[in-house]
Structures are given as C-alpha cells and as structure tokens.
C-alpha cells in the first residue's frame, strides 16, 4: 500500500494543539504564516512579535524567537527589532482591536516609514479575547456585547478598512486582503502571505496582509455559518484583493 | 599630561555618554527640555553605525526601544515628564520582560502640561513605580554635567547586569546647564551574557521575551524572582555622596539640582560655625536607606530639601526610623536660593 503524505505540520509550527475555539480562523492563519516562513527557509532568522488578543500565545505555536508586545504596540516593537537586526525577518500578528483601534497610530506610522516588516492582521470584527466587544471593524448593524442595538454609524462611525488606508502610503510595498472561505480564496491567501514574506526578504518595504477571520464564539454562530458570514457579510464590505504591490524596492 | 575638558551642556553629556557606552539605537519624540539629546544623537549615531528614529509618540518610542533592546543591542530613549508618563505601560512590560534599557527623564514641572521649569515632581513616578505592577527601575540621579556623562555609561552597564530598565532622573536645570566635561570613554565595554536575546532560533531552542504568565504559580514565581533582583540591587548598587557629614549635627539630604543648591547652603552654615553636612543619594532606587539609618542611630538629624512638596522626604523618614526630619520644598516656579535654605537651617539647627 502506498500512502502519500499530503498534510504535514510546517517546521515552523510546534507540535502543540491550538487553544483556539472550534471554527476559529486563527489556527488556519497560524499554519499559513508558518508555511510561508518554511517556504523561504526563514525559521532560524525570524523574530515574531505577539500582540494582545486571542493570538497572544503565538510563541506556544511558532518555533521562532518571539517578543510579546503591549496591546496595540506590536508594530512599534517590530520596528525596533528590525532596525536593530536588519538581517532578520520580523513579523507581527495582530487582531483588529489591537491594530486598528488602540494601535492605529503605530500601524500607520510603521507603514509610512516603510519599515521592512510584515504584519498579519486578523480582522474578525470583534474583540475576541475580551468577550466580543465592538471593534473598529464591526459591521454596521452588528450586535456585539458593547453594541447591543447593533453598530450605528451615528454613534460608532463606519467599519474601518485598514488595507485600503495603508495601501495609500508610499512606505507600503504590499497590502492585500484575503479570506479562507473558498479553495480559490484560500489559495489567494496563501499566495499573499508568501508574497509578503518574499517582499520582506527582498527588502521591498512594509508588507501587510489582512485576513477576514471567523470568531464563531463571539458571533454566536457555528463554524459553517461563520464561514458563510465571512463570505456573505464581510467580503461585500471588505473586498478581497491586492491593493498595493510595489514593482521594485523604493525608488522615490 | 593634559586633560582637555570641553564646556558641554548636560543633555549633550548624556548623548556623549550613550555613544561612548556603545549605545547604537535611540528612539524618541521631541520635548523640552531634553531635545539636545535626540538632536545630538540624530547626528552622531549614524556615524558609529547606529540609528536614530524619531518616533510618532513616546508610546511608540518606548515600544521601539523594547523591540531593539530585546535583540541584545544597547538602545535608549529620553523624554521629559509628560512623555515619560506616556511611556509607563511600556516600561512596565520592559521590567516584566526583563529587557535592559536606558530611559532618561529630564523632568520638567507638572501636573499636566505644567511648565518647563526644573522640578523634582517625578520622584515618586521614577522610584515607586509609575507603571502598573510590582516592579522597580534602577534610578540614577546625577547632579553635574560630568555625572550625567558618567552615570549614562553606568546606566547601560547596570541595565545589562540586572536585565532591568534603568532611569536617569535629571531635570531642566541639570540638562540645560553647561559645565566642563572630561570625556573619558570606558574603553572596553563589559559584555554580559545574553542568552536571552532574540537573534533568531538558529541551532538553539526558541527564545521568548514576555510578561504574561497564566499557568498556576508562574506569575508568583516571576514576581519573587524580580523581587530578589531588587534585593540584590539594594545590597550591591547603592551610591551616594557625603559632604562633611562626619561631625555634623544636622545633615541636609537632597538629590540632583536640589543638592547643588544645598551644597552652597551647607558651606554658608559651616562659615557661620554650624556643624552641617550634606548627604546626596545618587541612586534613588536602591535608596541609601541603610546609610541614613546608621546616621540616624548615631544621633544625626536630617533636613530634606527638594524641588517639590515632599516626595523623597518619605524615604528619608523611613530611613530615620523616628528621628526628627525637617523639610524644605519648593514646587515648580522659582528655584530656592542657597540663602533661603540657609535661613531654614538657622531656624532648625539644634541648640546645644
Ligand atoms: C492597554 C490595554 N487595554 C485593554 C486591554 C484588554 N484587551 C485585551 S485583548 C483586547 C482586544 C483584542 O481584540 P483583537 O485585537 O481584535 O484580537 P482578537 O482577540 O479578536 O483576536 C483588549 C481590549 C489590554 N490588554 N491592554
Ligand atoms: S474567541 Fe473568537 S477569535 Fe478568540 S479563539 Fe475563540 S473564535 Fe477565535
Ligand atoms: Mg478581533
């Protein structure tokens, strides 16, 4: 009997079970980032920056050096790491509360300086870790534990589109939004994450991948309906695609 | 042999000390009265293969510092009071993650936007915590341009020795005055083992720098470990200067710029035949409590002078163990004159 191994653990991931809720997309995102690091054999020179949110235990899963940043400050910490160690590959992994709310200044300025780092941005439209409160990315009408009547733009404004914002900045080399809803989208996500690390390797500048992610627990949905929600409610407001792709290193 | 001393501004002496200590990275945001530090370093760091980064805020600056220092490279930030307030969360994380860093506070006056006059209103913030959690900075309080230079070099050394953030607490007066400086680089830089530094997990297990400990008993153990470190600092790192304390009946206790002014008052008292001395803590944490306690037990009385309404006073009172402690403080505004302090000395000088 011949068996072909089609599903193996990326070297960059430790042999540890994820603590994420069933149907949570953090796990898929972790695996894909690890695969990209493997693809370019970067594990031994990668330094990860963990943020405060459901992904805080990054170091329990990624077999790379990791520093844990204060809530919202991962981009600033990553800036410091990369400036001091330009030969390393530096990535941060941040939620939408972390990156788009409390840490938006650090995010925008890190991109604007063209820091040669990669940010993986998990947009799940809620503050997962603290119990599903309103995030800057919460969709209009979406009920959360702090928007019990649904997000109202008169009160909370519109959901923020980070990828589009960052794509406008000259320092950004690559900015894409992806999702895991279909095989085609999964493939696109994989390519985008790989491209981000490839760009960093080539010192092209700031790279950013937003992943539309399910948080079944705080959405009050099962895994399948969560996936549907990403497809039917999130993608129409947060369109997928590559919003910026620099052709050559900074020529300004 | 000639020693050349240049007339140097306090802030510049800090920057020179940083360069001579092998500091390669600086992250900061402009604020008076310390902007000469970033200005000097933005010019000189690139020349020594380092980098200067003007951060978008002090919040970003302290976190950039945390990142750079986590790789085992010498790095620093500087600011003044409101900026240091903004850094407190980051400082707490740095202390919790045990990352060697140097943070300079050329303090100005508060609360709030306050003013740019010299003040020692940040003593509590520097010495008692500032950020959340049970941690300590090692706090150095220079009182001259020369000491700003020397203590900056020492700060980098101590930060690595203890894997702890070190704060240099100066003020608008110390930072902006000019004095002759003998710039003597330390020569070889002592390298401490850095088996914690993030350099990529090549041929070794992963390294993690973090402050989150959720498993049973982990955080308790971590806090005790930090505590033990602070106890070791208390045993080994107390620094102070004494002036004519031996035969003194009354000892002025003052740090930084208040000590400079007090020194003149002590000389005036001596000329008037009073046995008055000066005790100047150079480390504010660890505080020279054992030294003060010994003097209190020998019957000395203390007179605390500060540019605030009474902060270090509390630590002197603890050290005095019930002996009388007098106080003269001035909130920000006009600096006290040596004459003013001398008048106070005359009022409280023990009759016998
Ligand atoms: C300064 C500070 N404020 C608030 C918190 C509490 N907090 C922890 S995680 C979090 C939000 C996390 O949400 P997100 O970044 O979207 O990540 P997710 O858990 O959804 O993946 C908050 C507000 C904190 N740790 N620090
Ligand atoms: S709370 Fe949401 S984001 Fe957090 S692990 Fe569970 S499903 Fe994932
Ligand atoms: Mg979230």
């Amino acid at each position: 009997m011949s068996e072909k191994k089609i599903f193996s653990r990326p070297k960059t991931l430790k042999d540890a079970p994820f603590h994420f809720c069933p149907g949570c997309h953090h796990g898929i995102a972790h695996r894909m980032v690890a695969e990209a690091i493997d693809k370019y054999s970067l594990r031994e020179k990668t330094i990860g920056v963990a943020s405060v949110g459901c992904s805080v235990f990054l170091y329990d899963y990624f077999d790379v050096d990791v520093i844990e940043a204060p809530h919202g400050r991962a981009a600033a910490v990553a800036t410091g790491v990369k400036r001091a160690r330009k030969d390393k590959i530096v990535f941060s992994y941040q939620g939408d509360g972390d990156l788009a709310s409390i840490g938006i200044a650090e995010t925008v300025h890190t991109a604007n300086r063209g820091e040669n780092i990669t940010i993986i941005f998990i947009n799940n439209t809620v503050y997962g870790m603290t119990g599903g409160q309103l995030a800057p990315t919460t969709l209009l009408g979406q009920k959360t534990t702090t928007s019990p009547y649904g997000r109202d733009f008169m009160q909370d404004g519109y959901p923020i589109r980070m990828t589009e914002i960052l794509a406008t900045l000259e320092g950004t080399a690559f900015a894409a939004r992806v999702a895991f809803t279909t095989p085609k989208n999964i493939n696109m996500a994989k390519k985008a994450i790989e491209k981000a690390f490839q760009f960093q390797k080539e010192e092209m500048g700031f790279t950013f991948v937003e992943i539309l992610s399910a948080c079944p627990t705080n959405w009050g949905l099962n895994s399948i309906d969560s996936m549907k929600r990403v497809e039917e409610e999130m993608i129409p407001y947060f369109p997928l695609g590559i919003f910026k792709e620099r052709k050559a290193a900074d020529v300004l | 042999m000639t020693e050349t001393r240049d007339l140097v501004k306090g802030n510049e002496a800090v920057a020179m000390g940083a360069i001579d200590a092998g500091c390669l990275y600086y992250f900061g945001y402009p604020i008076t009265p310390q902007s000469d530090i970033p200005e000097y370093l933005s010019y000189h760091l690139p020349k020594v293969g380092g980098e200067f980064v003007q951060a978008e805020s002090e919040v970003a600056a302290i976190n950039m510092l945390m990142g750079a220092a986590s790789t085992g490279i010498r790095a620093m930030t500087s600011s003044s009071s409101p900026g240091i307030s903004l850094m407190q969360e980051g400082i707490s994380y740095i202390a919790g993650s045990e990352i060697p860093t140097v943070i300079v506070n050329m303090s100005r006056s508060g609360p709030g936007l306050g003013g740019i006059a010299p003040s020692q209103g940040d003593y509590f913030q520097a010495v008692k915590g500032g950020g959340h959690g049970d941690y300590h900075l090692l706090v150095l309080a220079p009182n001259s341009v020369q000491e700003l230079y020397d203590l900056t070099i020492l700060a980098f050394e101590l930060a690595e020795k203890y894997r702890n953030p070190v704060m240099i607490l100066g003020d608008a007066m110390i930072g902006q005055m000019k004095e002759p400086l003998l710039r003597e680089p330390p020569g070889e830089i002592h390298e401490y083992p850095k088996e914690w530094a993030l350099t990529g997990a090549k041929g070794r297990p992963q390294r993690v720098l973090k402050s989150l400990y959720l498993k049973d008993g982990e955080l308790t153990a971590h806090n005790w470990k930090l505590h033990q470190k602070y106890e070791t600092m208390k045993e080994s790192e107390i620094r102070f200067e004494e002036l004519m304390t031996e035969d003194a009946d009354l000892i002025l206790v003052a740090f930084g710029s208040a000590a400079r002014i007090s020194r003149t008052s002590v000389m005036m008292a001596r000329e008037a035949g009073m046995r008055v001395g000066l005790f100047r803590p150079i480390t504010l944490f660890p505080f020279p409590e054992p030294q003060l306690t010994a003097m209190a037990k020998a019957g000395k009385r203390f007179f605390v002078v500060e540019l605030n309404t009474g902060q270090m006073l509390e630590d002197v009172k603890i050290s005095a163990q019930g002996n009388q402690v007098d106080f003269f403080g001035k909130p920000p505004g006009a600096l006290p004159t040596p004459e003013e302090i001398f008048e106070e000395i005359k009022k409280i000088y023990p009759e016998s």
Side-chain angles (χ1 to χ4, degrees):
Chain A
M1 199 178 89
S2 79
E3 244 180 333
K4 202 172 150 222
K5 206 172 173 194
I6 50 161
F7 195 73
S8 67
R9 179 169 50 82
K11 270 214 312 276
T12 297
L13 274 193
K14 296 189 200 174
D15 189 7
F18 288 126
H19 73 283
F20 304 116
C21 312
C24 176
H25 285 182
H26 270 304
I28 311 175
H30 273 44
R31 164 173 279 274
M32 234 176 230
V33 172
E35 282 168 352
I37 292 170
D38 276 4
K39 176 172 174 158
Y40 300 108
S41 306
L42 301 172
R43 189 192 73 81
E44 292 182 332
K45 54 189 287 196
T46 295
I47 299 173
V49 182
S51 67
V52 183
C54 281
S55 56
V56 67
F57 296 116
L58 196 77
Y59 39 80
D60 285 345
Y61 308 119
F62 282 79
D63 193 14
V64 300
D65 282 2
V66 176
I67 180 169
E68 174 191 87
H71 189 33
R73 317 301 169 206
V77 173
T79 296
V81 173
K82 187 74 183 198
R83 292 289 182 125
R85 299 277 175 184
K86 294 197 180 52
D87 55 329
K88 304 299 172 206
I89 295 294
V90 179
F91 79 96
S92 73
Y93 183 108
Q94 306 173 246
D96 41 4
D98 192 90
L99 180 138
S101 188
I102 194 168
I104 195 166
E106 285 78 7
T107 306
V108 168
H109 284 283
T110 299
N112 195 49
R113 284 189 304 266
E115 299 292 346
N116 193 33
I117 64 156
T118 299
I119 294 185
I120 305 296
F121 170 47
I122 304 293
N123 175 358
N124 59 11
T125 73
V126 284
Y127 285 34
M129 191 191 218
T130 43
Q133 294 86 1
L134 179 94
T137 44
T138 295
L139 293 174
L140 285 186
Q142 183 181 340
K143 287 186 179 159
T144 71
T145 51
T146 52
S147 58
Y149 305 107
R151 183 180 188 145
D152 172 4
F153 69 88
M154 293 293 281
Q155 177 134 336
D156 303 308
Y158 286 82
I160 195 161
R161 295 185 182 102
M162 285 311 301
T163 304
E164 286 85 334
I165 290 175
L166 297 176
T168 65
L169 301 173
E170 294 298 345
T172 301
F174 182 78
R177 183 184 289 116
V178 300
F180 301 140
T181 49
T182 64
K184 182 173 153 262
N185 285 346
I186 290 173
N187 200 34
M188 172 186 160
K190 185 175 151 61
K191 289 228 166 76
I193 293 170
E194 284 172 3
K195 175 76 71 157
F197 282 92
Q198 183 205 326
F199 265 40
Q200 183 178 164
K201 222 166 62 83
E202 292 166 2
E203 298 179 19
M204 296 280 274
F206 178 77
T207 50
F208 184 81
V209 181
E210 172 174 352
I211 303 172
L212 301 182
S213 299
C215 174
T217 302
N218 287 301
W219 292 357
L221 300 173
N222 63 30
S223 305
I224 293 164
D225 289 341
S226 293
M227 196 67 103
K228 241 195 198 155
R229 176 172 187 262
V230 175
E231 181 74 33
E232 290 168 12
E233 294 178 37
M234 286 181 77
I235 293 178
Y237 187 87
F238 296 113
L240 305 185
I242 294 170
F243 291 80
K244 173 94 180 266
E245 184 170 357
R246 184 178 280 163
K247 298 296 169 228
D250 208 337
V251 288
L252 287 179
Chain B
M1 202 181 87
T2 50
E3 287 177 342
T4 45
R5 282 167 209 267
D6 292 326
L7 208 54
V8 165
K9 214 172 164 179
N11 287 327
E12 283 170 358
V14 168
M16 290 172 179
I19 298 266
D20 293 348
C23 171
L24 285 178
Y25 290 86
Y26 174 96
F27 307 92
Y29 186 85
I31 185 170
T32 307
Q34 60 78 58
S35 291
D36 318 277
I37 300 175
E39 284 164 12
Y40 185 97
L41 290 175
S42 65
Y43 185 77
H44 285 91
L45 275 175
K47 295 184 175 183
V48 294
E51 254 181 69
F52 164 90
V53 180
Q54 183 159 323
E56 60 270 28
S57 69
E58 290 87 350
V59 176
I62 191 73
N63 286 288
M64 290 175 183
L65 172 59
M66 177 174 175
S70 76
T71 71
I73 275 170
R74 289 192 171 185
M76 70 175 292
T77 186
S78 66
S79 186
S80 182
S81 310
I84 298 291
S85 292
L86 269 181
M87 291 183 187
Q88 291 302 329
E89 186 203 31
I91 293 175
S92 167
Y93 274 72
I94 288 170
S97 312
E98 298 187 86
I99 301 172
T101 48
V102 173
I103 301 154
V104 179
N105 180 4
M106 283 301 168
S107 66
R108 45 193 262 177
S109 31
L113 194 51
I116 56 169
S119 161
Q120 295 182 326
D122 294 356
Y123 178 91
F124 281 153
Q125 187 196 50
V127 175
K128 306 291 176 181
H132 60 286
D134 201 359
Y135 76 91
H136 281 288
L137 306 175
L138 211 151
V139 185
L140 303 172
N143 84 330
S144 66
V145 169
Q146 186 66 49
E147 224 179 47
L148 278 167
Y149 174 80
D150 296 338
L151 291 185
T152 300
I153 293 170
L154 178 68
F156 281 97
E157 174 98 15
L158 292 176
E160 283 184 7
K161 183 172 174 189
Y162 290 97
R163 282 187 62 183
N164 206 69
V166 176
M167 175 168 280
I168 295 171
L169 183 63
D171 62 42
M173 176 175 154
I174 302 280
Q176 292 179 303
M177 68 191 184
K178 274 191 170 178
E179 281 181 342
L181 170 73
L182 179 62
R183 185 174 178 178
E184 267 183 322
E188 202 141 299
I189 288 161
H190 185 82
E191 283 286 336
Y192 288 89
K194 288 182 184 156
E195 70 295 327
W196 49 267
L198 307 187
T199 53
K202 184 171 181 180
R204 59 155 173 81
Q206 164 202 48
R207 289 176 183 168
V208 177
L209 289 172
K210 60 162 186 161
S211 56
L212 179 71
Y213 292 97
L214 291 183
K215 292 196 191 105
D216 220 14
E218 261 187 357
L219 189 57
T220 312
H222 180 57
N223 269 264
W224 279 123
K225 180 186 152 209
L226 293 179
H227 173 78
Q228 192 47 54
K229 195 163 78 173
Y230 308 139
E231 290 302 306
T232 309
M233 289 177 191
K234 285 182 191 169
E235 278 158 28
S236 321
E237 302 303 341
I238 290 176
R239 288 170 170 79
F240 55 89
E241 185 190 38
E242 286 177 289
L243 173 71
M244 293 181 286
T245 51
E246 215 145 277
D247 70 333
D249 301 316
L250 181 72
I251 295 174
L252 273 67
V253 186
F255 71 95
S257 49
R260 290 179 71 94
I261 305 167
S262 298
R263 190 186 181 94
T264 312
S265 314
V266 166
M267 300 317 285
M268 293 166 106
R270 283 279 165 174
E271 262 166 46
M274 294 182 241
R275 287 195 299 272
V276 175
L278 174 69
F279 185 91
R280 176 171 74 89
I282 295 174
T283 50
L284 300 180
F285 185 92
F287 192 72
E289 181 180 333
Q291 289 73 14
L292 288 173
T293 300
M295 287 195 283
K297 285 195 174 139
K300 315 272 190 199
R301 275 181 55 183
F302 297 131
F303 175 37
V304 177
V305 180
E306 291 184 82
L307 307 184
N308 58 45
T309 55
Q311 296 196 10
M312 180 180 71
L313 174 63
E314 291 187 1
D315 288 327
V316 177
K317 278 186 176 165
I318 292 168
S319 311
Q321 300 197 342
N323 275 20
Q324 187 174 337
V325 178
D326 289 290
F327 176 70
F328 180 73
K330 266 214 156 173
L335 284 170
T337 62
E339 290 76 14
E340 246 180 306
I341 299 168
F342 179 45
E343 285 309 309
E344 293 301 313
I345 292 173
K346 282 196 269 185
K347 278 188 226 159
I348 58 170
Y349 186 71
E351 309 276 329
S352 60

